[in-house]
Amino acid sequence: MRAHLDLEEQVPGVADDGVWLTCIECGETFAPFDAVRYTCDDCDGLLEVRYADLPTWEDFGGASTPESGPYGVWRYSDALPFESGVSLPEGGTPLHHVPRLEDEVGVRNLRVKHEGMNPTGSFKDRGMTVGVRVAQEVGVGRLACASTGNTSAALAAYGARGGMETLVLLPAGKVAAGKVAQASLHGARILEVDGNFDRCLDIVQDLAARGEVYLLNSLNPFRLEGQKTIGLEIMERFYADEGRYPDRIVLPVGNAGNTAALYKCFRELQRAGAIEASEVPKLTGVQAEHSAPMVEAVEEGWDEIQRWEEVETRATAIRIGNPVNAPKALPGIRETGGTAVAVSDEAITDAQRSLAESGVGVEPASAASLAGLRKLREQGRVDADEDVVCLTTGHLLKDPDAAYEAGSDPEPVPADTDAVLDHLADE
Ligand code: F0G
């Protein structure tokens, strides 16, 4: 029986300032910062950060009043292990209206939470601002991650900001150009591994177990604390606009860190009495069809995923066969009444183009959310009267090659006004 956050949880003796770690498998509790620890000492299960007191909306300064703090991760510090962190700053991303897409898809409300608007262009910044702060607290030297690109860019930038050494392991030839450029210029040492992302993560976990590095992949439970503020922002702003919470959040799934973080966010809001059980949005995960172990597990009704050794997709950010946060995320999808769906690379590119035509520039993995929503609407698995938020996780400029391929080609013209007009008239 998994020890998911109990709505009546007792505070254990190991708590430090009302914060502790709990193993989601066996329920063992640990002090949060006494040692470097990513999984349970006893059973190797995933750990979750727990709090004695959970905040309500009022604790954050009230919804959307001029007195409330600026939107961003640290506005929600009452729900985090620290008051502040190594910040660039992050969060406070737009929740776009997309009326044309809303009409086309045919739902009551469609909003796009554009996480590409974070400092390094992805949601990873939310996790890193907290994770690097924790790294300082536990006093580690070298920070490391395996990455399909965005985590490495964020780690490099936040490590640089915190004055710490960073090491990133990337699958050779499978990371979008913008992300490698970021990691490089922000000063990470980049190791290109002859293997896929899952192998990179195996290796960096070994390095962490040997005490060589501090692991800042989403296995690190503190990363997910920062990422749960995506949920807090969506819920707070959607409510301020519409007077109710969204019915469904559709998001791309790789390691399933965001799925786990959003589920935790909703459970904590419920435990604090800030929302009712009936107000929890349905978590709906989307994967690329040749990288879809979570979808397989949801469809088959399994409690665990089976690792896919061979994965492929144009959406390289989610080219992942072993979603390490599945034990946290699968119950989230199930218990919120959500689902998971796989989409083709062509559908992802179509969705990327459609979002761009609405002015929202995203990388391919992000567009999977819209592609998934379209498919679920076509299949009648999402209702026309639903309020839906699609999460777009990374910026268009992250993957310039994919954007070029999806967009139209530049037209060469002579350097002459009449020739330009002739060319335009030729259409
Ligand atoms: N979207 C983008 C743009 C990503 O970079 C990632 C993950 C995901 C979605 C999936 O999120 O893991 O929380 O399910 N990127 C990681 C990386 C793996 O290394 O940058 P998840």
Side-chain angles (χ1 to χ4, degrees):
M1 183 59 195
R2 287 211 173 109
H4 283 297
L5 188 135
D6 180 342
L7 298 185
E8 305 295 332
E9 187 151 30
Q10 300 297 311
V11 180
V14 295
D16 175 354
D17 213 9
V19 180
W20 70 97
L21 293 167
T22 295
C23 170
I24 68 158
E25 300 292 346
C26 73
E28 185 62 336
T29 55
F30 301 96
F33 311 118
D34 67 333
V36 173
R37 172 184 290 117
Y38 311 101
T39 54
C40 178
D41 295 3
D42 293 350
C43 76
D44 211 29
L46 296 178
L47 299 176
E48 206 166 59
V49 183
R50 301 278 169 95
Y51 304 89
D53 298 308
L54 285 168
T56 62
W57 294 125
E58 287 68 35
D59 296 315
F60 303 132
S64 303
T65 66
E67 296 76 42
S68 24
Y71 278 111
V73 167
W74 295 103
R75 167 187 174 80
Y76 302 105
S77 60
D78 283 346
L80 298 172
F82 296 101
E83 280 299 304
S84 61
V86 176
S87 183
L88 285 170
E90 48 292 309
T93 55
L95 186 62
H96 291 300
H97 287 275
V98 282
R100 286 196 302 272
L101 284 173
E102 184 178 276
D103 285 350
E104 180 241 304
V105 173
V107 286
R108 178 164 61 174
N109 262 290
L110 178 58
R111 306 286 290 271
V112 175
K113 178 69 170 165
H114 192 14
E115 285 295 296
M117 300 306 287
N118 274 296
T120 76
S122 86
F123 68 91
K124 306 287 182 179
D125 298 342
R126 294 182 187 264
M128 286 303 167
T129 186
V130 177
V132 174
R133 173 71 182 83
V134 174
Q136 292 176 333
E137 187 75 15
V138 294
V140 291
R142 185 161 49 177
L143 312 180
C145 69
S147 183
T148 57
N150 284 322
T151 305
S152 70
L155 179 68
Y158 281 80
R161 189 75 173 175
M164 298 168 95
E165 196 187 331
T166 54
L167 176 69
V168 305
L169 279 73
L170 307 181
K174 294 295 183 182
V175 179
K179 305 174 187 181
V180 184
Q182 287 178 291
S184 162
L185 194 59
H186 286 302
R189 183 149 180 208
I190 303 176
L191 304 184
E192 281 198 329
V193 177
D194 180 20
N196 64 22
F197 166 82
D198 303 298
R199 284 299 299 142
C200 295
L201 187 55
D202 292 341
I203 295 168
V204 85
Q205 276 184 258
D206 280 346
L207 293 175
R210 294 181 197 190
E212 295 289 334
V213 300
Y214 184 67
L215 181 76
L216 273 169
N217 280 98
S218 55
L219 258 184
N220 185 320
F222 293 105
R223 272 261 323 262
L224 300 186
E225 291 308 289
Q227 287 172 213
K228 84 186 176 189
T229 63
I230 299 173
L232 292 168
E233 283 183 16
I234 290 175
M235 297 293 271
E236 189 174 10
R237 286 224 219 161
F238 196 94
Y239 192 89
D241 289 352
E242 307 291 341
R244 57 181 184 269
Y245 297 107
D247 297 306
R248 185 182 297 273
I249 297 180
V250 186
L251 73 163
V253 173
N255 269 321
N258 275 334
T259 317
L262 288 172
Y263 180 45
K264 183 166 191 278
C265 168
F266 302 147
R267 281 183 295 137
E268 289 184 352
L269 285 173
Q270 234 182 297
R271 183 173 166 219
I275 63 171
E276 303 290 328
S278 60
E279 292 174 316
V280 171
K282 298 177 171 68
L283 282 172
T284 302
V286 187
Q287 292 190 301
E289 61 188 2
H290 298 301
S291 306
M294 279 282 287
V295 177
E296 179 183 49
V298 170
E299 284 177 352
E300 300 291 336
W302 296 339
D303 275 347
E304 287 171 12
I305 59 111
Q306 286 189 12
R307 178 174 175 147
W308 288 21
E309 294 301 336
E310 299 295 325
V311 282
E312 200 47 86
T313 169
R314 191 180 294 164
T316 52
I318 52 171
R319 188 174 172 274
I320 294 175
N322 186 32
V324 286
N325 286 299
K328 291 178 173 176
L330 281 171
I333 289 177
R334 213 173 18 244
E335 284 163 32
T336 60
T339 188
V341 65
V343 293
S344 67
D345 277 6
E346 291 68 35
I348 287 174
T349 299
D350 281 351
Q352 188 188 16
R353 218 177 268 126
S354 302
L355 283 160
E357 285 165 6
S358 282
V360 183
V362 308
E363 67 166 287
S366 306
S369 57
L370 176 63
L373 175 63
R374 277 177 168 162
K375 186 165 175 180
L376 291 170
R377 269 298 288 144
E378 280 160 23
Q379 295 175 340
R381 293 162 68 195
V382 168
D383 294 332
D385 63 357
E386 288 192 28
D387 294 327
V388 182
V389 176
C390 279
L391 189 64
T392 57
T393 41
H395 198 276
L396 178 154
L397 290 173
K398 288 284 193 172
D399 191 342
D401 298 322
Y404 272 127
E405 269 176 47
S408 51
D409 291 336
E411 302 163 43
V413 290
D416 174 81
T417 309
D418 288 333
V420 168
L421 285 170
D422 284 349
H423 179 85
L424 291 173
D426 274 354
E427 285 297 317

